[in-house]
């Protein structure tokens, strides 16, 4: 039972353009959401988070948007850089502890 | 800080053999998580511990899987007997309970069961 879904297994964008990665969740009790980035042969690393009291959080080139009514969040990367090429995991949970992850989206940024 | 340490990094074993994966969390972290990554299901939470106590093991696929955390600095995930469908990358992660949900992942153990 996938409580967190990333329906796009892959995404390819041109360097300098915007990358938009999407994530949907089913559990309305989830109140904390994170994005992780994973390079090959490494563990995922934390990228950015948002709590349910906000609808936007920005950190440099990365912005996460949360639409609670739609149970949807997205990660925007602008401008995209070749070093952003990685697998991005969306995670959601309750009480800041037990997080559930999506299947991941592989982003490729072409020079 | 060395981060989360996992061993071995790679394990190749034959079907039916016992496999033990090891994890050392970041010092001071009191939550520990075991995940399995597959192409089909992404990152699946298998089990997690708070203060060395298993809290939720509903993600453990079968009785063949077991996990222990005898102390705050060590955890094991054991598969006995192993099967080819267990082949995956297994990640351990640790965190400080209640502090933002951010988990720190180890490099993973790639398990291949032939």
């Amino acid at each position: 039972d996938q409580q967190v879904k990333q329906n796009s297994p892959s995404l390819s964008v041109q360097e300098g353009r915007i990358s938009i990665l999407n994530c949907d969740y089913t559990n309305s009790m989830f109140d904390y959401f994170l994005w992780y980035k994973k390079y090959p042969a490494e563990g995922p690393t934390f990228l950015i988070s948002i709590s349910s009291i906000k609808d936007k959080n920005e950190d440099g080139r990365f912005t996460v948007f949360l639409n609670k009514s739609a149970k949807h969040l997205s990660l925007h990367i602008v401008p995209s850089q070749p070093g952003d090429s990685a697998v991005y995991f969306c995670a959601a949970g309750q009480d800041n502890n037990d997080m559930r992850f999506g299947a991941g989206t592989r982003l490729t940024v072409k020079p | 800080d060395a981060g989360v340490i996992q061993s071995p990094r790679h394990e190749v074993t034959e079907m039916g053999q016992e496999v033990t994966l090891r994890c050392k969390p970041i010092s001071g972290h009191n939550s520990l998580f075991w995940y399995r990554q597959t192409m089909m299901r992404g990152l699946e939470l298998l089990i997690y511990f708070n203060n060395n106590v298993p809290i939720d093991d509903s993600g453990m696929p079968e009785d063949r899987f077991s996990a222990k955390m005898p102390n705050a600095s060590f955890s094991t995930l054991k598969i006995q007997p192993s099967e080819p469908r267990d082949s995956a990358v297994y990640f351990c992660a640790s965190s400080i309970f209640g502090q933002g949900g951010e988990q720190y992942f180890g490099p993973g153990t790639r398990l291949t069961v032939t």
Side-chain angles (χ1 to χ4, degrees), chain A residues 95-111:
Chain A
D95 299 333
N96 294 347
N97 199 52
D98 177 14
M99 310 302 291
R100 304 291 166 161
F101 284 76
T105 296
R106 181 178 300 279
L107 173 66
T108 303
V109 180
K110 298 180 179 179

Side-chain angles (χ1 to χ4, degrees), chain B residues 1-3 14 25 30 45 55 64-66 73-74 79-80 83-85 88 92 101 103-104 106 110:
Chain B
D1 196 327
E14 292 184 348
N30 54 5
L45 177 65
I55 302 301
R64 298 184 296 107
F65 286 69
S66 63
S73 59
F74 184 67
I79 309 172
Q80 165 63 20
E83 297 182 3
R85 59 191 168 126
C92 174
Q103 297 175 16
Y104 295 78
R110 180 173 294 278

